[in-house]
Amino acid sequence: DAGVTQSPTHLIKTRGQQVTLRCSPKSGHDTVSWYQQALGQGPQFIFQYYEEEERQRGNFPDRFSGHQFPNYSSELNVNALLLGDSALYLCASSVGTSGANVLTFGAGSRLTVL
Amino acid sequence: GQQLNQSPQSMFIQEGEDVSMNCTSSSIFNTWLWYKQDPGEGPVLLIALYKAGELTSNGRLTAQFGITRKDSFLNISASIPSDVGIYFCAGQLEPGGTSYGKLTFGQGTILTVHP
């Protein structure tokens, strides 16, 4: 039973470019949350998708957007990349109305912005 | 963004020693969670706490939900080399519904265990 899978695992972009990160949730999960983890810091909540809609959003600018597909997979898009966007981007999946104890994290996508 | 205050930032201990780390917040949380993150991996849940005052164990790990709901601690007894990693506390503010995915994390405690 596959857990949360994310792609790509690593990528390098330059300032001003756009990036798309992908996430497939754990089998049986229908909710996807995205977190940004800067080096040496804890993860910070970006947003959460359920039933193909953004349900909650953290303190991130509109350059960060997302999408959830009918098969529950999700994408995170970041436009006009800044150096400060360099981080590990974590996807976590869960069952919609369950507690946080069933959040399953993927291994992340490491983004480097030059 | 808001983060929990986690201490210590790092710990260097000998194998067999006990470890204690804690987390404090200016906000009340309904749920406290403790995660471990190994290099190249995402956080893995160790212990979840749901009630103020609750004390929960998972093998050599013990965690408590502070009575004020603004703090939590994690103890690891008789540490072993595989305990090495980064430990994060996390709190959940809103109860109910799909808001359960929104966690606020501490800055992490880096644990090094010398054999």
Side-chain angles (χ1 to χ4, degrees), chain A residues 31 33 35 37 40-45 48 50 55-57 59 88 90 94 96-103 105-107, chain B residues 1-3 31 33 35 37 40-45 48 50 88 92 94 97-108:
Chain A
T31 302
S33 301
Y35 288 79
Q37 186 176 21
Q41 299 294 318
Q44 290 201 19
F45 177 77
Q48 179 189 71
Y50 174 68
R55 298 292 177 156
Q56 285 199 83
R57 189 177 184 91
N59 188 26
L88 180 68
L90 295 164
S94 59
T97 56
S98 299
N101 59 306
V102 293
L103 267 184
F105 283 87
Chain B
Q2 177 192 11
Q3 283 198 328
T31 302
L33 305 162
Y35 287 87
Q37 187 174 24
E41 301 292 332
V44 174
L45 181 67
Y50 301 104
F88 290 100
Q92 175 194 308
E94 298 93 352
T98 57
S99 64
Y100 277 128
K102 182 179 180 180
L103 297 179
T104 300
F105 281 82
Q107 304 99 315

Side-chain angles (χ1 to χ4, degrees), chain B residues 70-99:
Chain B
K70 292 184 177 182
D71 63 326
S72 177
F73 72 75
L74 174 71
N75 288 339
I76 305 173
S77 62
S79 59
I80 59 178
S82 63
D83 290 334
V84 165
I86 306 176
Y87 291 80
F88 290 100
C89 60
Q92 175 194 308
L93 284 168
E94 298 93 352
T98 57
S99 64

Side-chain angles (χ1 to χ4, degrees), chain B residues 12 15 25 34 38 41 49 69 74 83 95 108 114:
Chain B
F12 298 84
E15 183 177 358
S25 170
W34 285 91
D38 292 326
E41 301 292 332
L49 303 156
R69 298 165 72 188
L74 174 71
D83 290 334
H114 295 288

